[in-house]
Amino acid sequence: MRNITKDNYQYGFHKPETADFKTPKGLSRQVVEAISHYKNEPDWMRQFRLQSLMIFEQKMVPTWGADLSHISFDDLYYYISPSDKKFRRWADVPKDIKDTYDAIGIPQAEREYLAGVGAQYDSEMVYHNLKAGWEKQGVIFEGTDTALQKYPDLFKQYFGTVIPPSDNKFSALNSAVWSGGSFVYVPKGVKVDIPLQAYFRINAANMGQFERTLIIAEEGSSVHYVEGCFLAGAQVLTSSGEKPIEEVRIGDQVLTHKGRYRKVNKLFKRPYSKKVFTIKYYGDSQAELQVTGEHPLLVSKRQKSEYRNTSFKLQWVRADQVRKDDYLVYPIFQDKTGSGSDLPAVNLTIPIGHGRHSPTYHTLSFDLDPDFYRLVGYFLSEGHVDKEHYLSFTFNEKEQPLVQDVKSLIKRYFSKDPIIGKIRNHGQILTLCSTLAARFFAREFGSTNRTKRIPLWMLNSSPEKLAQLVNGMWSGDGSFDPQANLFRYSSVTRSLIHGFRDALLRLGITCSINSQRRLMPKQMMHNVIISRTCNRQFGSIVGKTVPNGRKEGSPFHLDANYLYVPIKSVHIKEKNTTVYNFGVTEDESYVAEGVVSHNCTAPIYSTDSLHAAVVEIVVRPGAHVRYTTIQNWSTNVYNLVTKRMLVEAEGFGEWIDGNLGSKVTMKYPSVILNGKGAKGEVLSLAMAGAGQHLDAGGKAIHLAPYTTSTITSKSVSLNGGRSSYRGMVKIIPGAKGSKSFVRCDALLLDDQSRSDTYPVNIVGEQDVTLGHEASVSKVGEQQLFYLMSRGLSENQSSSLIVNGFLEPIAKELPLEYAVELNRLISLSMEGSVG
């Protein structure tokens, strides 16, 4: 492992101290009073601090967990103020402080991602800003010191109520000397869908940082974050056809990158005034992605110019990182379960009228064989349903073979001859008078051009059946151009165009979509153009012999799962607009404008790297808060933190906690479930290397009935590092119907490293469900050999195994931070094996 020390730690630089005010070393009543006096605090806060100091002096340093005996409380500075002012404009921050934060990207992060940002330098928040839109809705995001001055009554109502000074020695220490941190208040019903984020930096040597974070989410509110979005009008492929993204609703089913339909579970909308990336690609002349730069797309990167892509390795890539000639992808529908399953036969009972006392039912029963698929193909191109009672087909007078084929198929499946009308205006109509057939076709395939579609169960059928569906559709609305040697299928209904294209892809035939506006009537005509390389294959399906000609290449590539289409152009333009996104269950992706996009949603993202902090969060009834920490301190830092949420009825509180750096970490994010139906989740990650002891985990206290908690802990130990899971679940008498599940998994990379588990379960109620699982595994030689035999180095192989092990944590992060987490893991893994 590459040890991160003060010499090689990326952000280990420091600036000469230019403190505006600095207490002497050591902790005393005089130091505490000096801090309170300098901050001009009310008397109640001064008394609170002094009482906390007394508690700190009475409590012993914990002897369980990590070794804290080397902490010298008398050798620390407890307060250093770098500036006597707080700034709301980045340009006004002093140059030396600004240069430090420029180096870690705060200004750019605020411009591109954040609703608000707070920057703490040593003991004070020197820069705090909140976008005006949230301020107008009553959202407060201030430095904790500022909030005490501006909102004294609100502050006093909540401060120290979730974590009192008496909780433990380090909460008492924080309560005595706290300075800086963030105060967040979200009013009732307000939903914050872009991030509030804080940065903390220790610049001075022998500095203790004791920030205090307090978050209150009132009833029905939420603090949520959405990383990337599409502009209004982006066409999203749902199970009922394309739909503009702004019209997508919770419960809609969208096609995901795994080729199956999954439900939308969250909706996001926010104002946007930055760069928009417009991406056009070969394969669909109408499709045009207009997306924010940070939104991830599923991409196969272009290979070197001296050879063509022969293998397509997929990765999620930000929109601002894709390049011309990279490949976007479209998934081939292949859902093997649910509504996508092939149906072998129809056996349906349908109400078709009312008798004197009850409805009249008729039964429809026949096999769904390939010939029936051909009849459906004719209907999708040339048919319609009239007044729920008549199933009609219209053909040109020259298409008598098709007329006779449809007549025989109708007779076969519905045991009734259609009425064949006289030829008028070169057209001939066949009409089946059957309420049963008409309602069945309308329900499954649509009744008019506006509503026609190929249902999912049909798309998931066998190649033999799909070939006949394609045959019928092309026979009705298809053409062949002998001069250009091209097959074409045309329709004014874009949903049919997509269905035809999906059927072709499942048959192994590549194609493109070309759309053009017709003058009379004013509507779009869409065409599926069959790739020339597939001409003879398609010709065999529709019964047309294609003469041998010059073999031409195709810009598209196709495998069993995806169609790969090269990017034609990328353009960038500043826009002031509204953007949209949504969450998707399981697969976390969807098809927008014909290609795969990540749903890229996650609730609140707020990173803290803390020394001895206290984080208090109040989640009111029905509110939702997620708090995420990814810490990467250098290995001379003791990271001792108390974090707790109080969650009321039907509220939802989440901790996502990642620990990679520090010498010692002791951190156990907790949820107190204080109302009926409250939910709490803790996801904890620890990666301990040489000289590190990371003691982390989570706690869940069930104080009300029908509450639910989940604690998931993942730890990795390497090069002699030690990781520990320490957690507790407590269910009090009367908390009936409560459920809790704890899972802690440890991965050891060598024989010198260590992992421990210290669970405590206290159950005072019989009617509960409690589960606990634990596992310890070791990277084996067979795993390494398998990956190395495929071209990876030993370090790359180990990193891949570790990243897979930690995937439950990484997938909960927005893309930017998941990428950074993986990068930090890879850095920590250098030289970790052998």
Side-chain angles (χ1 to χ4, degrees):
M1 175 183 177
R2 175 180 171 181
N3 290 323
I4 303 176
T5 68
K6 62 183 179 181
D7 296 321
N8 64 17
Y9 177 56
Q10 181 181 357
Y11 302 129
F13 60 86
H14 69 277
K15 296 285 184 178
E17 291 179 36
T18 57
D20 176 71
F21 174 76
K22 181 178 181 179
T23 62
K25 279 186 179 181
L27 184 59
S28 65
R29 181 184 180 94
Q30 290 73 26
V31 166
V32 171
E33 288 185 326
I35 294 171
S36 187
H37 176 76
Y38 179 80
K39 292 172 172 292
N40 194 28
E41 293 177 341
D43 186 63
W44 74 266
M45 179 56 73
R46 184 178 67 86
Q47 294 299 329
F48 179 88
R49 289 181 181 274
L50 292 174
Q51 181 66 28
S52 300
L53 175 63
M54 292 175 58
I55 296 172
F56 169 76
E57 292 172 340
Q58 293 168 3
K59 285 187 174 290
M60 301 295 293
V61 174
T63 55
W64 48 267
D67 181 8
L68 305 180
S69 62
H70 297 291
I71 299 177
S72 177
F73 293 103
D74 292 331
D75 198 37
L76 293 174
Y77 293 103
Y78 286 89
Y79 184 79
I80 299 176
S81 174
S83 173
D84 62 349
K85 296 180 180 179
K86 309 296 185 294
F87 305 94
R88 293 185 65 84
R89 293 198 315 132
W90 185 255
D92 296 334
V93 175
K95 185 177 185 303
D96 59 336
I97 299 175
K98 187 163 60 176
D99 288 347
T100 299
Y101 281 111
D102 277 337
I104 56 176
I106 286 181
Q108 180 179 359
E110 193 216 7
R111 280 196 306 271
E112 296 188 1
Y113 306 117
L114 307 179
V117 64
Q120 178 152 341
Y121 199 83
D122 291 334
S123 297
E124 286 290 357
M125 296 295 283
V126 295
Y127 171 57
H128 227 283
N129 187 33
L130 177 66
K131 295 294 174 65
W134 299 125
E135 287 182 328
K136 291 179 181 178
Q137 295 187 55
V139 176
I140 300 171
F141 183 38
E142 295 282 2
T144 312
D145 301 88
T146 303
L148 172 60
Q149 302 295 334
K150 294 176 66 174
Y151 311 99
D153 294 337
L154 180 63
F155 190 94
K156 187 176 182 179
Q157 179 184 350
Y158 291 100
F159 186 82
T161 59
V162 181
I163 303 175
S166 58
D167 190 82
N168 62 78
K169 187 174 182 68
F170 293 101
S171 68
L173 176 62
N174 179 281
S175 297
V177 298
W178 72 269
S179 188
S182 293
F183 178 89
V184 179
Y185 176 81
V186 185
K188 181 178 179 179
V190 174
K191 300 184 184 299
V192 178
D193 55 10
I194 46 181
L196 304 176
Q197 183 157 352
Y199 295 82
F200 301 92
R201 175 165 181 84
I202 296 176
N203 186 63
N206 300 103
M207 168 66 194
Q209 193 172 71
F210 307 98
E211 55 271 6
R212 187 87 179 205
T213 296
L214 177 57
I215 299 174
I216 303 103
E218 291 286 11
E219 183 176 353
S221 69
S222 67
V223 187
H224 275 189
Y225 166 54
V226 55
E227 174 142 346
C229 299
F230 282 87
L231 272 64
Q235 297 296 311
V236 175
L237 192 55
T238 74
S239 57
S240 58
E242 281 191 322
K243 181 184 289 189
I245 192 168
E246 65 271 23
E247 295 180 11
V248 171
R249 295 293 178 263
I250 291 176
D252 285 351
Q253 299 233 5
V254 295
L255 185 64
T256 74
H257 75 286
K258 292 187 177 181
R260 57 190 189 178
Y261 284 84
R262 289 297 180 263
K263 285 186 178 181
V264 173
N265 55 21
K266 297 174 185 174
L267 300 174
F268 301 102
K269 173 183 175 182
R270 63 181 171 114
Y272 183 82
S273 183
K274 284 174 285 192
K275 292 179 180 178
V276 170
F277 290 75
T278 300
I279 302 172
K280 296 184 178 181
Y281 59 90
Y282 294 96
D284 191 337
S285 64
Q286 190 181 16
E288 181 179 87
L289 281 79
Q290 289 192 301
V291 63
T292 59
E294 69 274 13
H295 198 100
L297 305 171
L298 194 56
V299 172
S300 177
K301 297 296 289 184
R302 176 183 54 182
Q303 295 182 11
K304 293 181 179 179
S305 58
E306 57 264 27
Y307 56 90
R308 296 178 59 188
N309 281 55
T310 56
S311 64
F312 293 84
K313 298 178 181 179
L314 293 177
Q315 55 186 304
W316 294 106
V317 179
R318 286 170 51 121
D320 59 6
Q321 299 298 315
V322 300
R323 300 291 180 262
K324 181 182 178 183
D325 296 334
D326 287 346
Y327 288 83
L328 299 174
V329 300
Y330 178 82
I332 298 173
F333 176 73
Q334 48 192 349
D335 195 353
K336 300 300 182 184
T337 60
S339 60
S341 299
D342 187 9
L343 299 180
V346 167
N347 187 9
L348 300 172
T349 300
I350 302 176
I352 61 171
H354 289 273
R356 177 174 296 181
H357 302 291
S358 61
T360 301
Y361 293 91
H362 280 212
T363 299
L364 183 69
S365 180
F366 52 80
D367 291 334
L368 292 174
D369 57 15
D371 288 342
F372 180 79
Y373 277 63
R374 187 169 73 256
L375 176 62
V376 172
Y378 290 138
F379 172 78
L380 291 173
S381 289
E382 304 291 0
H384 70 277
V385 172
D386 187 18
K387 298 180 180 179
E388 292 192 346
H389 303 293
Y390 307 102
L391 180 64
S392 299
F393 298 79
T394 303
F395 292 99
N396 186 278
E397 62 179 338
K398 297 179 180 179
E399 296 177 317
Q400 288 304 311
L402 302 185
V403 172
Q404 295 305 314
D405 194 22
V406 169
K407 178 183 177 181
S408 64
L409 291 172
I410 288 176
K411 175 69 174 179
R412 173 180 167 185
Y413 293 108
F414 301 105
S415 303
K416 190 175 183 179
D417 286 320
I419 299 171
I420 301 179
K422 294 181 179 180
I423 296 176
R424 295 180 180 178
N425 298 323
H426 306 289
Q428 190 166 38
I429 299 177
L430 286 78
T431 302
L432 173 65
C433 300
S434 169
T435 301
L436 199 63
R439 290 188 175 181
F440 173 71
F441 269 71
R443 189 187 71 181
E444 296 294 329
F445 315 114
S447 56
T448 66
N449 280 342
R450 289 179 177 273
T451 61
K452 284 182 185 177
R453 63 193 176 276
I454 302 175
L456 300 185
W457 58 265
M458 267 200 155
L459 284 176
N460 208 42
S461 301
S462 67
E464 183 183 13
K465 292 180 178 180
L466 285 179
Q468 287 302 308
L469 175 70
V470 166
N471 187 333
M473 293 179 71
W474 184 83
S475 297
D477 278 335
S479 62
F480 176 71
D481 184 345
Q483 292 185 338
N485 195 27
L486 281 178
F487 283 98
R488 179 183 289 108
Y489 173 75
S490 304
S491 177
V492 296
T493 310
R494 192 164 168 86
S495 61
L496 283 187
I497 289 295
H498 280 128
F500 191 81
R501 189 259 305 268
D502 288 344
L504 291 180
L505 293 179
R506 283 184 57 82
L507 292 169
I509 297 174
T510 58
C511 56
S512 61
I513 297 176
N514 178 269
S515 302
Q516 52 191 352
R517 188 168 296 280
R518 301 194 309 182
L519 294 179
M520 294 296 292
K522 293 183 179 180
Q523 60 184 184
M524 296 293 291
M525 174 60 73
H526 309 284
N527 302 282
V528 174
I529 311 297
I530 313 302
S531 171
R532 287 188 177 90
T533 58
C534 300
N535 271 6
R536 302 192 71 181
Q537 183 181 357
F538 184 80
S540 66
I541 290 176
V542 298
K544 189 172 185 63
T545 302
V546 180
N548 290 324
R550 180 166 57 98
K551 187 176 181 180
E552 300 185 48
S554 169
F556 314 117
H557 296 268
L558 186 69
D559 61 24
N561 299 309
Y562 298 103
L563 173 69
Y564 302 86
V565 292
I567 293 175
K568 186 188 305 183
S569 64
V570 179
H571 298 287
I572 307 170
K573 187 176 181 180
E574 295 277 346
K575 287 193 176 184
N576 185 6
T577 184
T578 300
V579 291
Y580 301 82
N581 200 9
F582 53 82
V584 182
T585 57
E586 295 186 63
D587 296 350
E588 300 178 343
S589 61
Y590 56 90
V591 172
E593 293 296 339
V595 295
V596 172
S597 163
H598 201 283
N599 69 207
C600 191
T601 61
I604 180 175
Y605 192 87
S606 187
T607 59
D608 294 62
S609 291
L610 310 174
H611 176 69
V614 166
V615 182
E616 299 180 283
I617 300 178
V618 177
V619 184
R620 289 297 195 190
H624 181 192
V625 174
R626 173 181 282 193
Y627 189 99
T628 301
T629 301
I630 300 297
Q631 63 127 92
N632 186 34
W633 288 98
S634 62
T635 52
N636 64 340
V637 173
Y638 286 84
N639 188 36
L640 310 170
V641 183
T642 307
K643 304 169 71 172
R644 191 172 299 151
M645 287 190 194
L646 180 68
V647 187
E648 298 184 357
E650 303 299 330
F652 187 17
E654 299 177 89
W655 296 104
I656 309 296
D657 197 60
N659 306 286
L660 282 86
S662 80
K663 178 179 182 178
V664 166
T665 286
M666 295 178 68
K667 192 194 303 184
Y668 321 102
S670 305
V671 288
I672 300 178
L673 306 174
N674 196 40
K676 182 179 179 181
K679 293 175 60 179
E681 291 191 9
V682 179
L683 269 175
S684 176
L685 174 155
M687 187 166 180
Q692 291 181 279
H693 185 176
L694 306 187
D695 196 79
K699 299 179 183 179
I701 313 298
H702 295 250
L703 302 181
Y706 305 107
T707 48
T708 305
S709 67
T710 303
I711 300 174
T712 303
S713 174
K714 294 273 188 174
S715 67
V716 179
S717 303
L718 64 162
N719 286 343
R722 180 180 176 184
S723 63
S724 305
Y725 165 77
R726 193 177 302 274
M728 181 175 73
V729 174
K730 183 175 182 179
I731 304 176
I732 70 167
K736 64 179 182 179
S738 293
K739 297 179 181 180
S740 182
F741 181 74
V742 180
R743 181 180 181 88
C744 45
D745 298 322
L747 181 65
L748 301 176
L749 269 68
D750 52 60
D751 295 331
Q752 294 75 43
S753 299
R754 175 176 170 179
S755 176
D756 304 284
T757 301
Y758 304 101
V760 176
N761 297 318
I762 303 172
V763 181
E765 172 65 43
Q766 290 186 343
D767 181 19
V768 299
T769 302
L770 175 63
H772 182 99
E773 294 183 9
S775 68
V776 179
S777 56
K778 184 178 179 181
V779 175
E781 293 182 0
Q782 288 185 339
Q783 293 172 298
L784 293 174
F785 176 79
Y786 177 85
L787 294 172
M788 292 171 65
S789 68
R790 280 148 179 79
L792 298 178
S793 69
E794 195 168 9
N795 282 327
Q796 288 173 329
S797 300
S798 298
S799 294
L800 186 62
I801 293 170
V802 170
N803 277 309
F805 176 75
L806 299 177
E807 185 266 346
I809 303 290
K811 75 177 184 179
E812 295 297 332
L813 301 174
L815 180 71
E816 281 297 299
Y817 296 95
V819 170
E820 178 66 10
L821 176 63
N822 289 335
R823 189 192 67 80
L824 291 171
I825 291 171
S826 297
L827 178 64
S828 300
M829 291 293 298
E830 289 185 9
S832 64
V833 179

